Amino acid sequence: MYEINVALNGQHFFATHERSIVSERKLKEVYKVFKEKFPETEGYEISVTYWTKSGREINTEELEA
């Protein structure tokens, strides 16, 4: 999952939700729009983070023991 964070004049402005950008193709598409809409010349800074999650299935029979 990708997250785009936008800061304005060094302060957090907003960030995308973890479900918003789930592929590299979508990241490139959204990032291009953000670069246009939130220019550095107006005090915006954009950063991108790739997050990973992992999980494991729990045997429910063990919960009943």
Side-chain angles (χ1 to χ4, degrees):
M1 295 168 292
Y2 298 91
E3 179 181 89
I4 297 177
N5 287 280
V6 179
L8 176 57
N9 299 320
Q11 297 283 335
H12 174 77
F13 190 62
F14 78 93
T16 58
H17 190 273
E18 64 183 30
R19 293 178 296 197
S20 297
I21 306 169
V22 296
S23 70
E24 190 173 339
R25 178 192 61 78
K26 187 68 172 179
L27 171 64
K28 290 178 181 180
E29 178 183 312
V30 173
Y31 182 76
K32 181 178 178 180
V33 173
F34 277 33
K35 286 294 284 185
E36 179 183 324
K37 301 294 183 182
F38 303 102
E40 289 182 27
T41 57
E42 293 182 21
Y44 293 100
E45 182 181 343
I46 300 171
S47 62
V48 178
T49 305
Y50 176 72
W51 294 97
T52 59
K53 286 187 175 182
S54 64
R56 65 178 178 85
E57 187 172 350
I58 295 176
N59 181 343
T60 55
E61 290 178 9
E62 292 177 5
L63 297 175
E64 297 171 9

